Amino acid sequence: MIVAVIPAKGDSTRLPDKNLLEINGLSLIEHAVRFARTSERVDGIFVSTDSESIATLAKELGVGTIMRGAELGGEAPLIDVYRHALEAIGGGEITHMVGIQPDNPDRETDLARAIAYAMEKNIDYLFSVDRDGSRNGSLTILSLNALTSEPSLYASSIMDQCTNIHSRRDFLMASRNLSASAGAIMVDDRKIGMDQPVFV
């Protein structure tokens, strides 16, 4: 059984309410949920959050909600968030967990292929990196072994040149990337495209 967990805290000091900001009419959380649904191998989707507003949105989207305490907010290591999620879901039949951070909405990875690669190669810890090799948080795939033990694990990476949103500038860059892929472009906060209203 493979589950996707979207870690979405409510507080963001540099960009308030970041995970609820919208691009192309969808919040960053909705983009993450849509990405999780691109693979039929994902058996369940959960949003892990400390925010009632985000929990409400998750329920509206038809995905599971895992509430976490303040000790798993802020700069808590994501592995602790994922382990908390495993315990909350009930580890029984889970073999892999897919971590999808909402602040990488213009990700380019094919989720189904990434899952297949991790499983075929018996990779315990697969993570996405930029072209320069820096981890970007777009995607993490963890085996049950990685979730329940400390490393000496088989780890590997895949490239995904996406935007990691921390600031307003990052948000506008991701907006432009997603709009361009949808046949539109962004100018400041306005979208220009064939199906958009005309403005001068």
Side-chain angles (χ1 to χ4, degrees):
M1 179 178 177
I2 299 173
V3 296
V5 173
I6 300 167
K9 61 185 180 181
D11 183 39
S12 178
T13 53
R14 284 182 282 183
L15 191 58
D17 296 321
K18 175 174 69 176
N19 290 318
L20 294 174
L21 294 177
E22 293 188 357
I23 298 177
N24 295 347
L26 299 174
S27 69
L28 298 190
I29 291 172
E30 289 173 272
H31 281 284
V33 169
R34 280 194 167 194
F35 177 69
R37 286 175 171 159
T38 61
S39 173
E40 293 181 354
R41 300 189 77 166
V42 173
D43 299 298
I45 303 171
F46 300 84
V47 172
S48 169
T49 188
D50 55 1
S51 162
E52 292 294 342
S53 298
I54 290 174
T56 298
L57 174 59
K59 290 171 185 173
E60 290 171 358
L61 295 172
V63 300
T65 303
I66 300 167
M67 297 303 296
R68 50 185 158 110
E71 72 282 359
L72 290 175
E75 300 304 315
L78 273 175
I79 187 63
D80 292 342
V81 173
Y82 293 138
R83 285 172 175 162
H84 173 263
L86 179 69
E87 184 178 347
I89 297 166
E93 299 178 0
I94 295 174
T95 61
H96 292 80
M97 182 178 290
V98 179
I100 303 170
Q101 292 182 225
D103 50 2
N104 303 96
D106 57 346
R107 55 178 53 84
E108 301 171 350
T109 300
D110 183 308
L111 179 56
R113 288 184 180 180
I115 292 172
Y117 175 70
M119 297 185 75
E120 287 166 9
K121 302 295 183 182
N122 292 315
I123 297 169
D124 289 306
Y125 178 31
L126 183 68
F127 55 91
S128 58
V129 297
D130 296 326
R131 286 194 184 98
D132 63 3
S134 300
R135 296 184 192 185
N136 56 28
S138 168
L139 180 67
T140 303
I141 300 176
L142 298 157
S143 71
L144 183 62
N145 185 39
L147 287 163
T148 57
S149 66
E150 297 301 322
S152 63
L153 305 168
Y154 178 28
S156 186
S157 64
I158 54 174
M159 194 180 76
D160 192 332
Q161 189 63 25
C162 58
T163 308
N164 198 340
I165 297 176
H166 295 296
S167 65
R168 180 68 180 168
R169 181 177 178 276
D170 297 333
F171 176 75
L172 291 174
M173 185 181 301
S175 298
R176 289 188 181 100
N177 291 343
L178 284 170
S179 295
S181 67
I185 62 171
M186 292 294 293
V187 176
D188 289 328
D189 290 325
R190 291 182 178 269
K191 192 191 303 181
I192 301 175
M194 293 298 289
D195 60 344
Q196 301 301 314
V198 175
F199 75 97
V200 178

